[in-house]
Each structure stands twice: as C-alpha cells, then as structure tokens.
Amino acid sequence: MNKPDGLAIIPPGQAEAFVESLPIEKFHGIGQVTARKMHELGIHAGLDLKARTEAELVQCFGKAGRFYYQIARAQDDRPVNPNRIRKSVGAETSFDPDLDDLGTMHQALGDIAHRVYQRLKKHQTRGRTLTLKIKFADYQQITRSCTVLEWIERENQISGLAQDLLDRVSLNGQKIRLLGIAISNLDHFASPLHHEQLVLDLGRALTVLGTEN
C-alpha cells in the first residue's frame, strides 16, 4: 500500500473490512495470471475470495488455494523474522501514461537510480549484479541483468548500467508501463567506510611527512 515509501496503518479492528474490499490484484502472492483466472471465476475482491471454500480454492489453484483461503480471512501464521538477510535493494516506478520515448525512459531510469542509490546508502551495502525490470503496456514483463567485477555503489554506476541494459532491449515501438532497478549479490559485510571514498592530497601528505621526518 502507498508504494514506494508511503505508510498505511490498518488497525486490527479494520483488518477484515480492509481485506474484503482489497482488489484481488493487490493480494501478496496473486500475480497477473492468477488474477485473470480468478476474474474468470467471478473473484474480483477479497470478499469474493472469502466466499469460496478452502476445497474450492485448492481444486482451482492447488496448494496455493489454502494460502488464498487464509489471507482472505486476514490470517497469516508465518513467523516474523526481522533479522533475515536482505537479498536485493531496488526501486521501480509505474507510468501513466505509458512511456513511448526513449529519452524519457532514460530520464526515468536516472530518477530510479537515484532512489536505489539512496537505499543502498541507507542499508550500508553495495552489490555486483544489476537487474533492469521492464513491464510493457500489455503487462508483458522482462528483466535484463549484468554482473560486474567492481562493487556497484555509486549513483552514476547504477544509472549507466541500467541505461545500457535498456539500450540493448528491442522495444519495437512498444510502450513501457513500468521500469525498475534492483541491485543484488550484496556485500553483507559492507560498512559506512565502503561508501566514503577519501581523496588524498598527495602533495600535502608528502609535505606533512617531510616535516615530521
């Protein structure tokens, strides 16, 4: 809710009504294909999903049907692990209207790269793999990735790699609905020192050394 940086507060007393009114596409674990199948079955919101029995959902969606049955009732008994290792850092933006100009796409990637850079700094990490996510106007989605030897930790690196990947995609006139950038293969031992590049004034350093000697 309220992506990418907004906060939505749903008190326990409002959870059931919130879930019932939520469009089926907004449920975690329900992608485009599953949502289309649910629409065919007349399931468009949480209330419609809640009206189906567990047996019906399992018959239509296999083991995932049990999960859908529970989330329609705001039930999730999985343990919370606040200390799990982060696997990637990223950001994405949806566009309305869809983008059809390459220059505008590159500009948008620059903005997304800035957000990814800020999040890398926040989490005090860096990575070696950059993945570009593209969703077209027809909701077809593709990803393109590159892995480099040096750490990806600067904004111009992120922007440059992402734009290079975009240039390698054959758009064939297709409009773009969403662009995203993610950094993975993270350095889990990174410290703030990794993100501060110290510039050494060699002439001044030699002068100081000469004085001390």
Side-chain angles (χ1 to χ4, degrees):
M1 298 297 296
N2 300 334
K3 289 183 178 181
D5 299 316
L7 177 65
I9 300 176
I10 305 149
Q14 299 177 15
E16 186 174 355
F18 172 82
V19 171
E20 290 178 351
S21 63
L22 196 66
I24 209 65
E25 294 86 355
K26 296 291 186 179
F27 279 84
H28 175 72
I30 297 181
Q32 179 183 345
V33 175
T34 302
R36 188 183 305 120
K37 185 174 182 180
M38 287 189 174
H39 289 167
E40 294 172 354
L41 296 172
I43 301 174
H44 299 278
L47 184 62
D48 303 321
L49 185 60
K50 190 176 180 180
R52 302 302 178 104
T53 67
E54 184 175 359
E56 287 178 305
L57 294 175
V58 171
Q59 182 179 3
C60 293
F61 303 102
K63 293 181 180 179
R66 295 190 179 92
F67 174 69
Y68 300 150
Y69 178 83
Q70 291 177 335
I71 60 173
R73 289 158 178 77
Q75 299 173 358
D76 190 343
D77 297 326
R78 292 174 297 172
V80 175
N81 180 9
N83 299 314
R84 65 180 181 178
I85 297 177
R86 178 177 293 273
K87 295 183 178 180
S88 65
V89 174
E92 59 185 40
T93 299
S94 297
F95 306 103
D96 186 18
D98 303 328
L99 302 185
D100 58 3
D101 175 70
L102 187 59
T104 306
M105 296 174 194
H106 279 289
Q107 182 178 352
L109 278 179
D111 295 337
I112 298 170
H114 177 71
R115 286 160 49 202
V116 173
Y117 167 68
Q118 293 293 336
R119 292 177 183 181
L120 285 176
K121 287 206 304 181
K122 175 182 177 181
H123 296 290
Q124 297 184 357
T125 191
R126 54 191 182 171
R128 293 196 190 278
T129 299
L130 183 144
T131 299
L132 172 67
K133 176 181 176 181
I134 301 174
K135 183 181 290 185
F136 296 103
D138 61 359
Y139 288 97
Q140 176 191 359
Q141 181 174 300
I142 64 171
T143 58
R144 296 291 184 269
S145 299
C146 67
T147 298
V148 296
L149 295 178
E150 60 178 327
W151 290 112
I152 302 171
E153 55 186 330
R154 301 190 305 275
E155 183 175 344
N156 64 337
Q157 282 178 292
I158 301 168
S159 180
L161 289 170
Q163 295 189 29
D164 182 58
L165 288 174
L166 177 63
D167 287 337
R168 299 182 187 184
V169 175
S170 298
L171 296 177
N172 297 322
Q174 297 182 86
K175 295 183 178 181
I176 288 181
R177 175 153 300 183
L178 177 147
L179 287 172
I181 300 173
I183 307 297
S184 56
N185 285 338
L186 299 181
D187 177 9
H188 297 295
F189 299 99
S191 70
L193 292 177
H194 285 131
H195 303 282
E196 298 290 340
Q197 288 195 343
L198 300 180
V199 179
L200 178 63
D201 186 334
L202 186 57
R204 184 171 181 269
L206 290 175
T207 301
V208 172
L209 287 173
T211 303
E212 292 180 347
N213 289 337

